[in-house]
Amino acid sequence: MFSSPFSMLQPVLEKMILGRKLTGKTMKFLLLIFVGVVHLLPLASGKAIHGNGTSQRTFQEIKEEIAHYGDVAKAIINFTVYGKGQNRSYERLALLVDTVGPRLSGSKSLEKAIEIMQQNLQGDGLENVHLEPVKIPHWERGEESAVMLEPRIHKMAILGLGSSIGTPPEGITAEVLVVTSFDELQRRGPDAKGKIVVYNQPYTNYSAAVQYRMEGAVEAAKVGALASLIRSVASFSIYSPHTGIQEYQNGVPKIPTACITVEDAEMMSRMASRGNKIVIQLKMGAKSYPDADSFNTVAEITGSKYPEQIVLVSGHLDSWDVGQGALDDGGGAFISWEALSVIKDLGLRPKRTLRLVLWTAEEQGGVGSSQYYQLHKANSSNYSLVMESDLGTFLPSGLKFTGSNSARIIMEEVMSLLQPINITQVLKNGDGTDINFWIQDGVPGASLLDDLYKYFSFHHSHGDTMTVMDPKQMNLAAAVWAVVSYVIADLEEMLPRS
């Protein structure tokens, strides 16, 4: 796009050398021009500074540039929290999830939601609205039940885990072995053969507990179990099973697996400690089908100066097949739409392109985002920031961020613009399933952080409905999303990388 400084000065130098007019003053003058051009190039190109991550501008100059966005940030906040945009993301979300319900990968309801969202984004006046085709998994749970037969009759609430196989039509009736960890399972391995393994792992945090959901069936199968039942990965329970994806392993027999409630897992643990024999009849009609056609949904506000450069805001449109998928991740998808909607309504157009992506099949392991990355990764150097909201839209406590130290300092200044709503923290680890591909490629990444205890109380359960959503808290989340995405997209330089 731009010539090198030397090539720009070369004709002048040649002419002056040939004319023997290259005096000391002239050399000094040319040197000043050369240095000036070098300093201006990063600003003119809008590119991030790589290598040592330093900009030709001082941090004070960048800080002053960001401070100039104070009035714009206040306008975004006022519009979103108090003005015409108030409660809009909540009302838009309610209309979608009340209309189509949950949106499991491969389901007709997901494809209906994608069709509706394409129409919504076009009707909202956003630019370059289009669908990008992807192939996604198609699994259905079918009819399922679990009944304790001994030491008493008790019908249990269960939810089959994603990609699980089903049981034979007559089900599996077997004695139970209760364990609290993989280590205990290994120690008691000979006792597990021919039984149903029940995991009653403690909940300390999501990342520690979720490994039992992901790997529980494989570990139980390795010691000869017929099926596995996993205590729901939840911070709080009112007899609510929580589903989610699980993964089989090549070379290990596939066994049926489902989640049970915290209450039933703890009850069976108590029974086992007393020496009671526990027998369960498990029936699951789960089936997997060939991969289905689906789409990532894309819309933009085209950049005014560097349209080829991108700030990406995102959430996923798919959900599990229980509840309404309002919390996970309807809220994140709709505040991402709201960010672009607010910026458009205020007549703002940033220097870089703001791109909204509503991912498909995130719950199956980021399938849609993986295919998006493969399609667009050749242009990763043009991505200034990737943003994902997939941890709820309750009252935000800050922004989680992954990037260079220089980028973090800039992000802290940007977040200071949100002082009017007292949401200014910049925390670590801004990763997310749908943006990790870009972060691993060196692109700075950010995710919204709020009340995770409340989030994991409803996550992947029948309780994930509009009832748990708060319009005022969604307004604040949308304001954070809009301010950050707009300012980063409008700064003269891209965020510096390591």
Side-chain angles (χ1 to χ4, degrees):
M1 186 185 300
F2 292 90
S3 303
S4 71
F6 180 76
S7 64
M8 294 168 68
L9 291 173
Q10 188 175 10
V12 179
L13 287 168
E14 288 177 349
K15 183 176 180 180
M16 299 188 80
I17 290 170
L18 290 172
R20 298 179 181 178
K21 296 178 181 179
L22 202 61
T23 65
K25 288 183 179 180
T26 303
M27 282 289 290
K28 184 176 180 181
F29 174 70
L30 289 174
L31 180 61
L32 288 172
I33 293 176
F34 180 86
V35 171
V37 172
V38 170
H39 280 218
L40 287 173
L41 276 175
L43 300 179
S45 68
K47 287 289 185 183
I49 308 300
H50 296 270
N52 61 9
T54 58
S55 169
Q56 298 296 334
R57 297 189 301 162
T58 65
F59 171 66
Q60 184 60 35
E61 290 171 325
I62 297 172
K63 183 176 180 179
E64 290 171 0
E65 180 189 9
I66 294 170
H68 289 154
Y69 289 95
D71 289 341
V72 173
K74 288 177 183 176
I76 291 173
I77 292 168
N78 289 336
F79 184 93
T80 308
V81 180
Y82 312 109
K84 290 182 179 180
Q86 184 180 18
N87 301 344
R88 184 167 64 181
S89 58
Y90 174 92
E91 291 164 359
R92 285 171 165 175
L93 174 61
L95 178 59
L96 179 79
V97 301
D98 289 345
T99 300
V100 302
R103 305 166 299 282
L104 184 64
S105 174
S107 69
K108 291 181 179 179
S109 59
L110 173 58
E111 300 320 304
K112 180 64 174 177
I114 292 171
E115 179 185 341
I116 290 172
M117 287 308 301
Q118 182 184 24
Q119 294 170 357
N120 287 343
L121 298 173
Q122 289 170 337
D124 196 31
L126 297 178
E127 300 161 351
N128 194 24
V129 177
H130 65 280
L131 303 179
E132 297 188 0
V134 297
K135 286 285 189 179
I136 62 173
H138 181 192
W139 171 88
E140 295 179 4
R141 73 175 59 257
E143 296 294 323
E144 54 190 15
S145 66
V147 180
M148 179 189 292
L149 303 177
E150 296 183 40
R152 65 180 176 87
I153 301 296
H154 170 55
K155 185 176 180 180
M156 303 168 63
I158 69 166
L159 285 175
L161 295 176
S163 78
S164 175
I165 64 169
T167 64
E170 68 276 13
I172 294 172
T173 301
E175 190 176 343
V176 163
L177 173 69
V178 181
V179 297
T180 59
S181 68
F182 290 140
D183 287 341
E184 183 182 357
L185 177 64
Q186 292 303 312
R187 291 196 306 269
R188 302 178 65 186
D191 298 332
K193 189 172 182 179
K195 293 181 180 177
I196 296 173
V197 169
V198 169
Y199 292 94
N200 183 37
Q201 76 282 353
Y203 182 89
T204 52
N205 57 63
Y206 183 75
S207 59
V210 77
Q211 64 181 317
Y212 288 90
R213 191 193 77 203
M214 296 291 293
E215 304 167 21
V218 167
E219 294 305 314
K222 286 178 180 178
V223 291
L226 300 178
S228 64
L229 297 174
I230 291 90
R231 168 180 166 151
S232 288
V233 183
S235 51
F236 180 76
S237 177
I238 305 180
Y239 202 69
S240 52
H242 296 239
T243 189
I245 195 67
Q246 66 87 36
E247 295 179 351
Y248 289 123
Q249 191 176 106
N250 291 335
V252 178
K254 294 180 180 181
I255 62 174
T257 183
C259 63
I260 58 176
T261 66
V262 171
E263 292 86 343
D264 280 340
E266 292 186 343
M267 179 182 69
M268 285 189 282
S269 185
R270 293 192 301 271
M271 288 175 170
S273 70
R274 299 183 192 116
N276 295 133
K277 178 182 178 181
I278 306 169
V279 176
I280 287 177
Q281 182 186 60
L282 176 67
K283 291 184 178 181
M284 294 175 59
K287 291 182 180 180
S288 291
Y289 298 90
D291 284 355
D293 294 319
S294 189
F295 304 91
N296 291 318
T297 308
V298 182
E300 294 180 342
I301 295 176
T302 307
S304 61
K305 190 172 183 181
Y306 313 117
E308 75 285 358
Q309 295 174 16
I310 306 295
V311 169
L312 184 148
V313 293
S314 69
H316 66 86
L317 197 55
D318 68 292
S319 73
W320 284 104
D321 56 336
V322 291
Q324 291 184 293
L327 171 77
D328 183 20
D329 181 35
F334 274 66
I335 68 162
S336 295
W337 173 18
E338 186 68 15
L340 270 69
S341 206
V342 168
I343 291 164
K344 174 191 66 67
D345 288 348
L346 290 174
L348 301 171
R349 184 175 291 276
K351 296 182 181 72
R352 279 169 204 86
T353 294
L354 271 176
R355 177 175 295 167
L356 165 69
V357 183
L358 305 179
W359 310 109
T360 192
E362 185 275 345
E363 297 293 2
Q364 283 62 42
V367 176
S369 57
S370 173
Q371 293 178 52
Y372 175 90
Y373 174 72
Q374 293 301 321
L375 184 64
H376 296 276
K377 65 180 180 180
N379 297 319
S380 65
S381 62
N382 278 332
Y383 282 69
S384 181
L385 178 67
V386 288
M387 301 168 62
E388 175 185 6
S389 175
D390 190 18
L391 291 173
T393 49
F394 299 121
L395 179 64
S397 54
L399 200 71
K400 298 173 71 176
F401 180 75
T402 297
S404 68
N405 289 334
S406 300
R408 175 174 293 276
I409 292 170
I410 292 171
M411 188 61 72
E412 287 171 351
E413 289 300 314
V414 172
M415 287 297 288
S416 71
L417 299 171
L418 290 155
Q419 184 60 51
I421 51 176
N422 196 30
I423 305 170
T424 59
Q425 291 188 86
V426 178
L427 302 109
K428 295 180 180 179
N429 303 322
D431 56 321
T433 299
D434 288 322
I435 60 174
N436 280 345
F437 308 100
W438 299 95
I439 291 174
Q440 291 163 9
D441 212 9
V443 180
S447 60
L448 191 68
L449 179 63
D450 55 26
D451 187 348
L452 294 184
Y453 183 88
K454 189 173 183 181
Y455 177 74
F456 288 119
S457 297
F458 299 100
H459 166 262
H460 292 187
S461 77
H462 288 288
D464 181 356
T465 69
M466 283 304 298
T467 300
V468 305
M469 309 300 286
D470 185 319
K472 293 182 179 179
Q473 293 181 356
M474 282 191 74
N475 293 338
L476 293 168
V480 172
W481 225 224
V483 168
V484 172
S485 61
Y486 174 75
V487 174
I488 295 298
D490 200 56
L491 292 176
E492 188 56 44
E493 294 178 12
M494 290 173 64
L495 287 177
R497 303 188 187 181
S498 300

